[in-house]
Amino acid sequence: MEQPAISDYGFLSDCRSGALVGRDGSIDWWCPDRIDSSAVFARLLDPGAGHYRLAPVGVGGPGHRSERAYHPDTLVLRTVHHTPHGSVAVTDALAAEAGARAHDLGMNSPAVLLRVVEGLSGRVRMGLDFRPRPDHGLITPYLHDQPDGTVLARGGAVALSLHADGLSLRAERDRVRQEFEVAAGQVIGFDLAYGRAYGDPPVRLDPTTALADTVRAWEAYRGTHAYAGRYPDLVRHSATVLTGLTYTRSGAVAAALTTSLPEEIGGDRNYDYRYCWLRDFALTIRAFWVAACPHEVSRLFDWVTRSVGRVGEEPVPVLFGLEGERDISEHEAPHLRGYLDSRPVRFGNEAWRQRQLDVPGEVLSAVWRMRHYLGDTFDDELQEMVLGLTEQVADTWHLPDHGAWESRDVERHYLSSKVFCWATMNRAVGLAPRLGDRADPRRWAAIRDEIRATILREGWNERIGAFAGAFGSPELDASALYLPVVQFLPASEPRMRSTIEVIERELSTEDGLVRRWDSDPAGFLPCSFWLVECLAMAGERDRAEALFERVIGHANDVGLLSEQIDLATGAQLGNTPQAISHIGLVSAAWRLTDPPSE
């Protein structure tokens, strides 16, 4: 099979796990237990690592075409295939728990993948190819035919049960391959259920009934939210994608569904993004606030306080597992070829060990934004976390760190890190009345002012006419675009305005893609949305709107954004769907709403 483009994939979610399904009807990625658990289909990263294909025979060939769309306000995907012999629809979803509504979505998801085939016209010959490979492709399971026509796959810690309405499935040695015909008006449902080999077995659902209930669950969920700003359809869809990246049981939001999709084809900057970064937590808070999703906000704060725990002298980890696990040690998987031979494939992320001084400021900015939801007096855990983060920054702001881009070489005095140290102290001063007797706003204000003076003195580079990426460096960095967003300087302030102009001239392309630094091989979508915000705040609303329209044009046909865009081909790159890209869209749309307000 030819490797599909990243943009060829649609995203399915039950707010417990997620799957990617290609235009060709192949599900090439599914980690059924949790987003950050082991995959049973990983063809995304190696042709032999497992897939589940359900599509017309000859799909993609002459005389075949397809179109697809989500049911509105859901992550239930309907693909219509047109063939020389007729048309057929395949609707894919990860099942919601029966009767789940509103914010119960994902709390007890049954881990069942639903696929419902509906004949629309003529007679279409369909092909089924089910080839599970648990543990990221390491295990070839045993497949057993059952008396009722179900096939049971067992391997390692995984049990999978594949059932089809009205079809008797039969296994080959290591896969199920069958063809069948679908006539106009005929409906055949498939349910693939996950269970633990030594725990709860796979459950059986009626596919058509469960699919209808899953659509209602998503519609009820989205119906609890209202957004009154510009680009409402885009914002609602991005909020739905962010919800799909949420692990409901804890409230954590994964940075992306996938691991090791490359920043550059054939390159080695391939990392695992299936965890929750505190930076992304703070930005997600902002996006959910914009999209009017306050319930998600309260769950996120519960998760972050428990994950961080009591703050000591060690740097607060920048990312956690979806239930708050701290040790996310990284290892490589040499048995996987990688997407288009981009090696290595990595599981885990070593950035959890890094010092990244911007993180406390991101968290306190989120607390500040949501202070009215959180009450006049914070609960003990939230109060302890805010105090701990503030004092840690007070003691360490002068140290170098690895920065927001998680450099894996030497530590530096990164501009964006220092700005968020300033934000930590600034927000702590404002939050002091909610922090009890241990609050020390006078001392915090003095440290805040010292940090600000240091940034203005050391961060500005007269030669390039801009704030540089690190103190003493002549290198531009698009993270400087975040200074007006965090309210360190107005976008119209002369040095900031010059910085915006220089970044736009030196780091952006004609279609609005912004690179993070000069040698960055791809456009980084979040930075492009930050430039939209900066232009809007500088009073250039028309240019900001035009840029926004160009950037959103890089979404795929079902509105999904990855992390980066290839500058030569326009292809999506990096892990997908990428939370921070959809967060950037939501924030930029809100900024273009007149008048925006914090």
Side-chain angles (χ1 to χ4, degrees):
M1 292 182 181
E2 183 179 346
Q3 180 73 64
I6 292 171
S7 59
D8 280 351
Y9 287 105
F11 172 42
L12 312 176
S13 174
D14 57 6
C15 299
R16 167 185 174 177
S17 66
L20 293 181
V21 56
R23 291 177 183 273
D24 62 355
S26 183
I27 293 175
D28 292 344
W29 185 255
W30 186 31
C31 301
D33 195 34
R34 283 182 7 180
I35 288 173
D36 58 351
S37 66
S38 178
V40 296
F41 305 126
R43 178 180 168 238
L44 182 71
L45 299 175
D46 189 289
H51 63 272
Y52 172 22
R53 188 174 185 179
L54 182 62
V57 174
V59 65
H64 289 255
R65 61 183 177 86
S66 64
E67 67 250 0
R68 59 185 180 170
Y70 286 110
H71 284 268
D73 293 329
T74 80
L75 292 178
V76 175
L77 186 63
R78 185 173 190 263
T79 303
V80 177
H81 297 280
H82 302 285
T83 79
H85 307 290
S87 297
V88 64
V90 180
T91 302
D92 296 315
L94 283 168
E97 181 190 13
R101 295 294 181 268
H103 298 101
D104 291 333
L105 179 64
M107 194 61 70
N108 293 292
S109 294
V112 177
L113 183 55
L114 305 170
R115 313 195 78 175
V116 175
V117 180
E118 178 188 0
L120 302 178
S121 66
R123 297 185 67 88
V124 178
R125 190 149 192 84
M126 299 291 292
L128 165 69
D129 187 4
F130 171 67
R131 191 172 182 268
R133 293 293 184 267
D135 210 358
H136 303 305
L138 282 171
I139 297 172
T140 301
Y142 291 99
L143 271 60
H144 303 282
D145 295 336
Q146 304 299 298
D148 63 352
T150 297
V151 171
L152 182 64
R154 293 185 181 275
V158 169
L160 296 170
S161 175
L162 178 63
H163 169 263
D165 290 339
L167 291 179
S168 182
L169 302 177
R170 291 291 178 261
E172 300 177 8
R173 180 177 179 273
D174 63 348
R175 69 202 304 174
V176 177
R177 278 190 296 193
Q178 287 185 216
E179 294 185 4
F180 58 95
E181 281 196 346
V182 178
Q186 187 178 5
V187 176
I188 301 175
F190 295 78
D191 57 293
L192 173 63
Y194 160 81
R196 295 181 175 89
Y198 305 103
D200 295 334
V203 301
R204 171 69 60 79
L205 298 179
D206 176 84
T208 53
T209 300
L211 180 64
D213 194 56
T214 298
V215 170
R216 288 193 293 269
W218 277 102
E219 290 173 342
Y221 182 89
R222 192 50 53 201
T224 63
H225 308 98
Y227 167 75
R230 297 192 63 188
Y231 305 99
D233 291 342
L234 292 173
V235 169
R236 286 170 67 89
H237 182 57
S238 284
T240 300
V241 172
L242 291 172
T243 301
L245 290 170
T246 300
Y247 181 69
T248 297
R249 293 176 183 176
S250 67
V253 179
L257 182 67
T258 59
T259 178
S260 300
L261 292 181
E263 297 182 9
E264 183 178 18
I265 300 300
D268 62 359
R269 288 181 59 85
N270 318 318
Y271 301 116
D272 193 346
Y273 280 12
R274 299 173 302 148
Y275 309 105
C276 187
W277 270 252
L278 291 185
R279 181 182 304 108
D280 288 0
F281 147 81
L283 296 174
T284 303
I285 288 284
R286 184 181 187 222
F288 279 146
W289 174 73
V290 168
C293 308
H295 182 83
E296 288 86 339
V297 167
S298 63
R299 287 190 297 112
L300 270 167
F301 274 111
D302 287 343
W303 175 84
V304 76
T305 55
R306 293 170 187 173
S307 297
V308 169
R310 293 190 182 275
V311 180
E313 295 182 0
E314 291 298 314
V316 174
V318 301
L319 70 149
F320 296 86
L322 299 184
E323 292 185 355
E325 298 89 348
R326 183 164 292 207
D327 187 341
I328 312 295
S329 294
E330 182 176 291
H331 68 278
E332 296 181 2
H335 70 286
L336 295 173
R337 286 170 45 180
Y339 180 82
L340 292 177
D341 294 318
S342 301
R343 294 184 177 92
V345 170
R346 295 181 172 96
F347 298 108
N349 196 304
E350 210 61 24
W352 79 274
R353 302 179 188 273
Q354 291 185 350
R355 183 195 311 277
Q356 295 182 26
L357 290 171
D358 67 302
V359 168
E362 302 268 18
V363 174
L364 262 71
S365 293
V367 175
W368 174 258
R369 180 169 289 109
M370 301 310 300
R371 63 194 182 279
H372 300 305
Y373 286 94
L374 297 168
D376 293 336
T377 303
F378 293 167
D379 65 46
D380 291 344
E381 291 181 0
L382 181 58
Q383 188 177 105
E384 186 70 26
M385 181 187 74
V386 172
L387 287 166
L389 293 175
T390 301
E391 293 299 344
Q392 185 173 96
V393 170
D395 292 338
T396 62
W397 71 268
H398 59 283
L399 298 176
D401 73 329
H402 288 281
W405 305 134
E406 300 182 347
S407 167
R408 295 198 172 194
D409 54 10
V410 299
E411 294 183 331
R412 296 177 175 84
H413 291 281
Y414 287 101
L415 174 78
S416 60
S417 296
K418 302 305 183 189
V419 168
F420 273 101
C421 287
W422 169 86
T424 300
M425 309 314 296
N426 190 49
R427 297 313 188 195
V429 170
L431 293 169
R434 292 172 165 85
L435 298 177
D437 295 340
R438 293 162 57 197
D440 194 352
R442 180 173 295 182
R443 178 171 60 89
W444 294 344
I447 296 171
R448 174 198 63 193
D449 294 344
E450 182 183 0
I451 297 171
R452 181 180 179 85
T454 302
I455 293 168
L456 294 176
R457 182 178 66 251
E458 303 293 338
W460 174 257
N461 187 297
E462 190 67 38
R463 183 165 69 84
I464 63 174
F467 286 102
F471 289 179
S473 169
E475 302 297 326
L476 279 174
D477 192 303
S479 62
L481 294 172
Y482 218 67
L483 271 64
V485 178
V486 78
Q487 299 175 338
F488 181 81
L489 283 175
S492 57
E493 193 270 345
R495 285 166 297 181
M496 192 64 236
R497 192 69 189 89
S498 177
T499 299
I500 295 168
E501 291 173 354
V502 172
I503 289 175
E504 189 174 13
R505 183 177 67 246
E506 300 295 333
L507 297 183
S508 70
T509 65
E510 289 184 2
D511 61 353
L513 294 172
V514 177
R515 293 171 295 142
R516 289 168 292 182
W517 51 79
D518 184 60
S519 60
D520 197 358
F524 195 73
L525 287 169
C527 292
S528 303
F529 287 120
W530 296 347
L531 180 56
V532 171
E533 292 203 58
C534 284
L535 292 174
M537 287 187 284
E540 297 193 50
R541 184 62 59 93
D542 290 344
R543 291 186 61 217
E545 291 177 358
L547 176 60
F548 181 82
E549 297 285 351
R550 293 199 301 275
V551 176
I552 62 175
H554 292 286
N556 74 355
D557 60 311
V558 290
L560 300 179
L561 294 167
S562 65
E563 184 180 39
Q564 299 180 62
I565 301 296
D566 187 294
L567 297 178
T569 67
Q572 292 192 357
L573 294 172
N575 287 305
T576 194
Q578 181 74 216
I580 195 172
S581 297
H582 285 277
I583 290 166
L585 184 156
V586 171
S587 297
W590 166 82
R591 188 70 69 181
L592 292 172
T593 298
D594 190 23
S597 64
E598 290 281 355

